[in-house]
C-alpha cells in the first residue's frame, strides 16, 4: 500500500483497526463531523446559500456505513436526512484513512424528498495548517478528518460540502514585469490558508512562504476580510486595492511595500476541494527607489487543492516539473 509520508503531522485513524483477514465485522463505531454545505438551487435562478450541520456516520466495521443529520438547514428549517447501509471502501495510509462511498441514495424527512447521487469521502489526507497568525481564527486546531460530499435533494438542490478553514498546496507561478522584461518563477513552496466567516461571508487568507520572484524573500502575508461571493456550484473569494498585513509579535501591521491591486480565489471542482488563485501585486519599494513613476508588477497564479489525492499524490518538497 502506498505511503503518503510527506503530509505534516501524525493523523489518527478514522476507524478502529480490523485485521485484513477478518471476513466479518462484529462491531459498530460512530463519529460526527461539523461540516458546511453549499446549496445550489437546481431548477430556479435563486441564489446559492450556505448552512452548516453535523453529519453522523455509523460504521459497521469496515463493511458499510449509514449517514444521517438531524440539523440539515434549508428553506428556513432543520431537516432530517439519512442514507442507510452503504458499502464502503477503506484505504489506510501512514497519515490517515480515506473512506469512500459512492452513488448512494437516501431520504429527507422520512421520504418527503429523496437524496440521489450521494458521493462521499471522509479524508484524513489533507494539508495541515501552519502556525497561527494574529487575528486569524484557529478553528479545527486539532486533527479533524474532513467530509467531502456531493448529492442532490430531489429536483430542488445540489449540495456540496466544504470546510471553512483549509490550507491549499500546489504550484504558484509568478511573472515579474518591468520595462518590457519578464521573469517567470514557479514554486511549490508557497501555500495558502483560507479561514472563512460564513455569517459575514468574508475570509482571511494567509500566504505562507510566498516569493514573488526567485531572488525575492519568502513572505508571510495576511489578507483580511476579503469578500466571499457564492456562485452556482462554487464560490469566489476576492478583493481589490488593499495592503496585505504581516505579523509583528501579536499584532498585524500593514505591508505597504507590496500592495495588492487584485486577489481572486475560485473553486474549480464539483467537490470544492480544488481552487485557482490569481493576483496582481506591485513592488512599491522598487517603484520608490526607481523614482521614475513606472509601476512594477508581479502577476501570480496558483492551482492546487486542500486534499492530497492518493491516486495523484502531490509532494511539495520536490522541484516543480517543467
Amino acid at each position: 500500500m502506498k505511503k503518503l509520508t510527506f503530509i505534516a503531522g501524525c493523523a489518527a485513524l478514522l476507524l478502529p483497526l480490523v485485521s485484513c483477514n477478518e471476513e466479518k465485522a462484529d462491531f459498530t463505531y460512530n463519529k460526527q463531523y461539523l461540516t458546511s454545505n453549499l446549496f445550489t438551487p437546481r431548477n430556479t435562478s435563486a441564489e446559492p446559500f450556505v448552512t452548516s450541520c453535523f453529519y453522523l456516520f455509523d460504521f459497521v466495521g469496515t463493511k458499510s456505513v449509514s449517514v444521517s443529520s438531524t440539523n440539515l438547514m434549508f428553506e428556513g428549517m432543520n431537516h432530517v436526512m439519512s442514507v442507510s447501509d452503504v458499502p464502503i471502501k477503506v484505504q489506510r495510509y501512514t497519515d490517515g484513512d480515506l473512506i469512500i462511498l459512492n452513488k448512494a441514495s437516501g431520504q429527507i424527512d422520512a421520504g418527503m424528498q429523496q437524496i440521489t447521487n450521494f458521493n462521499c469521502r471522509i479524508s484524513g489526507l489533507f494539508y495541515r495548517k501552519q502556525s497561527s497568525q494574529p487575528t486569524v481564527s484557529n478553528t479545527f486546531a486539532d486533527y479533524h478528518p474532513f467530509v467531502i460530499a456531493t448529492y442532490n435533494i430531489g429536483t430542488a438542490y445540489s449540495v456540496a460540502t466544504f470546510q471553512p478553514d483549509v490550507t491549499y498546496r500546489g504550484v504558484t507561478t509568478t511573472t515579474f514585469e518591468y520595462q518590457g522584461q519578464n521573469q517567470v518563477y514557479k514554486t511549490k513552496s508557497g501555500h495558502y490558508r483560507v479561514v472563512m466567516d460564513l455569517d459575514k461571508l468574508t475570509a482571511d487568507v494567509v500566504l505562507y512562504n510566498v516569493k514573488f520572484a526567485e531572488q525575492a524573500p519568502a513572505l508571510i502575508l495576511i489578507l483580511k476580510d476579503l469578500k466571499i461571493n457564492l456562485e452556482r456550484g462554487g464560490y469566489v473569494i476576492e478583493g481589490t486595492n488593499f495592503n496585505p498585513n504581516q505579523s509583528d509579535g501579536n499584532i498585524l501591521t500593514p505591508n505597504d511595500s507590496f500592495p495588492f491591486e487584485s486577489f481572486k480565489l475560485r473553486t474549480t471542482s464539483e467537490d470544492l476541494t480544488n481552487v485557482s488563485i490569481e493576483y496582481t501585486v506591485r513592488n512599491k519599494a522598487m517603484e520608490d527607489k526607481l523614482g521614475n513613476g513606472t509601476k512594477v508588477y508581479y502577476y501570480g497564479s496558483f492551482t492546487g487543492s486542500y486534499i492530497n489525492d492518493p491516486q495523484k499524490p502531490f509532494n511539495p518538497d520536490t522541484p516543480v516539473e517543467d
Side-chain angles (χ1 to χ4, degrees):
M1 180 174 292
K2 184 181 294 183
K3 294 172 66 179
L4 299 181
T5 59
F6 41 81
I7 301 177
C10 179
L13 294 175
L14 305 186
L15 287 171
L17 286 172
V18 176
S19 167
C20 294
N21 296 321
E22 187 173 350
E23 296 181 359
K24 186 166 102 172
D26 55 0
F27 65 89
T28 60
Y29 174 77
N30 61 68
K31 187 73 175 178
Q32 70 175 8
Y33 303 102
L34 178 62
T35 304
S36 298
N37 307 290
L38 174 67
F39 283 79
T40 300
R42 298 185 65 191
N43 294 318
T44 72
S45 59
E47 296 293 323
F49 60 92
V50 167
T51 66
S52 298
C53 73
F54 283 98
Y55 287 102
L56 176 65
F57 291 78
D58 286 305
F59 296 95
V60 178
T62 57
K63 303 297 184 181
S64 66
V65 66
S66 295
V67 187
S68 62
S69 177
T70 59
N71 65 331
L72 184 65
M73 171 68 74
F74 61 93
E75 296 177 353
M77 61 181 296
N78 283 326
H79 298 266
V80 177
M81 64 88 72
S82 62
V83 177
S84 300
D85 300 324
V86 184
I88 60 175
K89 180 179 181 181
V90 179
Q91 300 175 356
R92 298 192 185 280
Y93 298 90
T94 301
D95 298 280
D97 289 349
L98 178 64
I99 301 172
I100 304 170
L101 49 153
N102 289 323
K103 297 183 178 178
S105 59
Q107 56 186 6
I108 299 287
D109 299 333
M112 296 298 293
Q113 297 186 76
Q114 299 300 310
I115 292 175
T116 58
N117 293 323
F118 187 87
N119 297 306
C120 180
R121 290 173 287 162
I122 310 173
S123 181
L125 305 177
F126 56 88
Y127 299 112
R128 307 296 295 277
K129 68 183 182 182
Q130 303 298 303
S131 58
S132 61
Q133 297 298 317
T135 77
V136 176
S137 169
N138 283 316
T139 55
F140 299 127
D142 298 324
Y143 175 81
H144 188 291
F146 290 163
V147 174
I148 306 163
T150 60
Y151 58 94
N152 296 326
I153 299 177
T155 59
Y157 300 105
S158 294
V159 181
T161 67
F162 67 97
Q163 301 298 323
D165 185 352
V166 291
T167 296
Y168 297 94
R169 301 300 302 256
V171 176
T172 299
T173 302
T174 307
T175 302
F176 169 62
E177 181 180 293
Y178 172 64
Q179 292 185 339
Q181 300 296 315
N182 291 329
Q183 297 179 9
V184 178
Y185 175 60
K186 296 177 71 174
T187 179
K188 291 182 178 180
S189 63
H191 47 290
Y192 305 78
R193 180 183 170 202
V194 176
V195 182
M196 303 184 195
D197 185 327
L198 296 177
D199 293 325
K200 298 179 180 178
L201 284 181
T202 61
D204 297 339
V205 180
V206 184
L207 285 63
Y208 288 97
N209 298 323
V210 171
K211 296 176 64 173
F212 296 132
E214 187 169 7
Q215 67 275 20
L219 301 172
I220 298 177
L221 300 176
I222 301 155
L223 316 184
K224 292 288 295 180
D225 299 324
L226 303 182
K227 178 66 176 175
I228 302 173
N229 294 307
L230 303 180
E231 298 184 332
R232 299 186 67 81
Y235 54 82
V236 172
I237 298 172
E238 59 186 335
T240 57
N241 298 320
F242 62 91
N243 286 330
N245 295 280
Q246 61 188 37
S247 60
D248 183 9
N250 292 322
I251 63 174
L252 295 181
T253 58
N255 183 331
D256 57 6
S257 295
F258 297 103
F260 279 67
E261 290 198 351
S262 64
F263 178 94
K264 178 179 286 188
L265 176 151
R266 182 186 299 274
T267 55
T268 58
S269 59
E270 182 182 6
D271 64 10
L272 307 183
T273 61
N274 299 332
V275 298
S276 66
I277 298 175
E278 303 285 341
Y279 52 83
T280 301
V281 181
R282 288 170 55 196
N283 189 329
K284 188 68 165 51
M286 180 178 288
E287 293 173 1
D288 293 343
K289 185 176 181 179
L290 292 171
N292 58 10
T294 300
K295 292 184 177 181
V296 181
Y297 287 101
Y298 300 106
Y299 300 101
S301 64
F302 168 85
T303 57
S305 175
Y306 69 78
I307 293 294
N308 198 0
D309 185 345
Q311 302 304 317
K312 297 180 289 185
F314 168 82
N315 190 332
D317 298 322
T318 60
V320 178
E321 296 83 1
D322 294 330

